[in-house]
């Protein structure tokens, strides 16, 4: 059911816009986290272009979606957040994962980016990665956001695990293990429960 205030146009706004005008009480999860499909490519390009003020090539996003690297946050099938997880295999056989393009629609980063991040962290753990990497941006607040989630400058040992292409002072790392996987699972479960309670109205 839907709880809607009585004002002109409220029902139309509630049922035919993404954010609506009231609160949806439902059993279904109207927004969710999952792997991106090729059909999401154009939406991802638009989302990244709005956030980064630069145009990302559609063919590059399509290739990454086809490779299973992009994941998205959807509400009513509208892509409002995304991220890219790129695996790097080392000659030793070890695996590290790089998180790129973590992005949410304007005004939604604070409530929803943690769930996107948890999704990426869980995927990296399940994939067997020992480290999760990010590159520092020009935004100090964004760098602080990652630092609050355990990212630090790599130790001498961790630096040996980094691919040559990521041997740069801009890299921060988070060591992964069973505990980080459990934390990610808990964060995703809490997010899903919140969506069930409020019907995606975050």
């Amino acid at each position: 059911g839907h709880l809607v205030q009585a004002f002109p146009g409220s029902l139309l706004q509630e049922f035919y816009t993404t954010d609506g005008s009231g609160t949806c009480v439902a059993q279904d999860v109207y927004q969710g986290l999952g792997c991106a499909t090729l059909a999401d490519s154009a939406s991802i390009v638009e989302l990244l272009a709005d956030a980064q003020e630069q145009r990302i090539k559609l063919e590059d996003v399509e290739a990454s979606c086809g490779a299973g690297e992009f994941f998205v946050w959807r509400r009513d099938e509208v892509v409002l957040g995304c991220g890219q997880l790129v695996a790097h295999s080392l000659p030793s056989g070890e695996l590290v994962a790089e998180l790129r393009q973590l992005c949410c629609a304007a005004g939604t980063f604070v409530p929803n980016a943690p769930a996107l991040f948890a999704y990426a962290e869980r995927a990296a753990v399940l994939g067997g990665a020992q480290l999760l990497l990010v590159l520092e941006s020009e935004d100090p607040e964004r760098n602080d956001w990652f630092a609050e989630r355990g990212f630090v400058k790599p130790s001498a040992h961790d630096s040996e695990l980094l691919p040559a292409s990521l041997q740069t002072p801009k890299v921060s790392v988070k060591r992964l293990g069973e505990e980080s996987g459990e934390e990610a699972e808990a964060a995703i479960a809490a997010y899903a429960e919140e969506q069930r309670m409020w019907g995606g109205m975050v």
Side-chain angles (χ1 to χ4, degrees):
H2 294 253
L3 304 178
V4 183
Q5 288 185 327
F7 63 85
S10 60
L11 286 177
L12 289 176
Q13 184 179 348
E14 172 69 3
F15 287 104
Y16 294 103
T17 65
T18 299
D19 289 329
S21 63
T23 300
C24 176
V25 182
Q27 294 293 325
D28 297 330
V29 179
Y30 283 93
Q31 64 180 2
L33 298 164
C35 290
T37 67
L38 285 177
D40 296 319
S41 299
S43 297
I44 292 172
V45 168
E46 184 176 354
L47 185 67
L48 293 175
D50 289 343
Q52 301 178 2
E53 297 183 354
Q54 60 179 343
R55 200 68 186 171
I56 310 297
K57 292 183 179 179
L58 177 60
E59 53 266 34
D60 291 342
V61 174
E62 288 177 336
S64 294
C65 287
E69 294 178 347
F70 266 103
F71 54 95
V72 293
W73 157 50
R74 295 184 184 88
R75 183 197 295 167
D76 294 338
E77 297 306 313
V78 177
V79 174
L80 295 176
C82 69
Q84 183 183 13
L85 194 64
V86 180
H88 298 277
S89 298
L90 306 180
S92 62
E94 295 172 307
L95 186 71
V96 297
E98 180 187 359
L99 178 58
R100 305 175 182 173
Q101 313 288 13
L102 187 68
C103 178
C104 293
T108 67
F109 188 88
V110 171
N112 294 298
L116 279 165
F117 172 75
Y119 184 92
E121 185 174 22
R122 182 183 66 174
V125 170
L126 293 177
Q130 293 190 3
L131 293 176
L132 184 60
L133 323 175
V134 294
L135 290 178
E136 291 182 356
S137 72
E138 298 179 359
D139 183 355
E141 292 185 1
R142 189 175 182 87
N143 296 333
D144 289 344
W145 189 89
F146 280 110
E148 291 170 359
R149 282 153 183 82
F151 284 86
V152 297
K153 290 300 178 183
S155 65
H157 173 71
D158 289 342
S159 293
E160 296 176 356
L161 295 177
L162 300 180
S165 60
L166 292 172
Q167 295 281 351
T168 166
K170 290 188 174 183
V171 168
S172 293
V173 304
K174 180 175 183 178
R175 181 158 283 280
L176 301 176
E178 184 178 346
E179 183 177 346
S180 53
E182 292 174 353
E183 291 174 353
E185 288 280 4
I188 293 171
Y191 180 79
E193 179 62 23
E194 188 175 60
Q195 305 318 302
R196 280 192 288 270
M197 290 176 61
W198 298 106
M201 300 302 295
V202 177

